[in-house]
Amino acid sequence: MKHILYSLLVILLLSSSGFAQCSELVRKAHKFSDKTVVMTTCRGKRSADAIHYKRVYEQGQVYYFVQLYVESGSFLPQKGASIFFKDGTSLDWPTASVESTFDGNIHTSQSTIKLTEEAIELLQEKQIASIKLYVHDRALNQHQSIRAQDILNCVIGADLIEVKSDKVVSQ
């Protein structure tokens, strides 16, 4: 929890140019409930970025999710997701569902995983080397890894910053 609070402080202290990615977030407030979703937007294809984040506020609770994308896959049922850090440690979800779609000429696998507080802290502290969905890997370069950390901090601090758009949606 202290890392989440620290991230909020960092966001407040840094200039908006340091967190340009924050302007890529979208906040959706559901019209008939107290549910609010803050999520990263797409740059071109949804799978262009390997990692997306989502923050859901509902009934007084806040939940964080990570969405992982790998450009390969199969339409057979798949399970298992992992994030590998540059220091050799990893976050593993062996039972996570992996869904695949076919977009033009490319198979894309995707998994959405609910994050624990400990997982959030690791994602804030460590640089990501690669992700794996089922048996399909995707490496991240240093820029992509830092971007993933910055966007996570933006999603955590979304109540304190401007986002790309605010929308009211019906469920």
Side-chain angles (χ1 to χ4, degrees):
M1 185 65 173
K2 69 180 181 177
H3 291 306
I4 293 173
L5 294 175
Y6 173 75
S7 297
L8 295 176
L9 179 63
V10 168
I11 289 169
L12 290 173
L13 295 176
L14 290 177
S15 68
S16 61
S17 63
F19 278 90
Q21 296 90 330
C22 294
S23 65
E24 297 176 19
L25 299 180
V26 173
R27 182 182 297 117
K28 296 180 181 181
H30 291 259
K31 191 174 185 175
F32 301 110
S33 70
D34 70 341
K35 183 176 181 179
T36 304
V37 177
V38 175
M39 57 195 290
T40 52
T41 58
C42 305
R43 295 185 306 164
K45 292 182 180 179
R46 182 90 176 136
S47 62
D49 287 321
I51 301 174
H52 291 260
Y53 296 102
K54 186 182 342 182
R55 174 183 175 258
V56 178
Y57 173 85
E58 188 171 29
Q59 298 178 354
Q61 298 291 318
V62 177
Y63 306 99
Y64 294 93
F65 297 87
V66 64
Q67 294 173 300
L68 305 174
Y69 292 88
V70 174
E71 289 182 348
S72 69
S74 160
F75 290 108
L76 299 175
Q78 304 169 35
K79 290 200 179 286
S82 298
I83 296 176
F84 299 98
F85 298 103
K86 291 189 179 187
D87 68 358
T89 59
S90 66
L91 287 170
D92 299 300
W93 299 276
T95 60
S97 293
V98 177
E99 299 173 3
S100 292
T101 58
F102 187 70
D103 184 19
N105 299 330
I106 299 171
H107 285 278
T108 303
S109 294
Q110 182 259 328
S111 184
T112 301
I113 302 153
K114 186 176 178 181
L115 295 173
T116 63
E117 194 171 302
E118 294 80 20
I120 292 169
E121 289 178 5
L122 286 174
L123 290 166
Q124 288 179 299
E125 293 172 357
K126 299 182 178 199
Q127 285 196 356
I128 299 169
S130 65
I131 62 173
K132 183 177 185 177
L133 295 179
Y134 185 55
V135 296
H136 309 287
D137 296 321
R138 182 170 180 176
L140 274 70
N141 62 34
Q142 184 172 353
H143 172 74
Q144 292 168 321
S145 180
I146 291 170
R147 177 179 163 74
Q149 287 176 316
D150 289 347
I151 288 183
L152 176 59
N153 288 327
C154 292
V155 170
I156 290 169
D159 291 338
L160 305 173
I161 59 173
E162 287 187 38
V163 298
K164 182 177 181 178
S165 69
D166 284 316
K167 298 177 182 177
V168 177
V169 295
S170 302
Q171 289 195 26

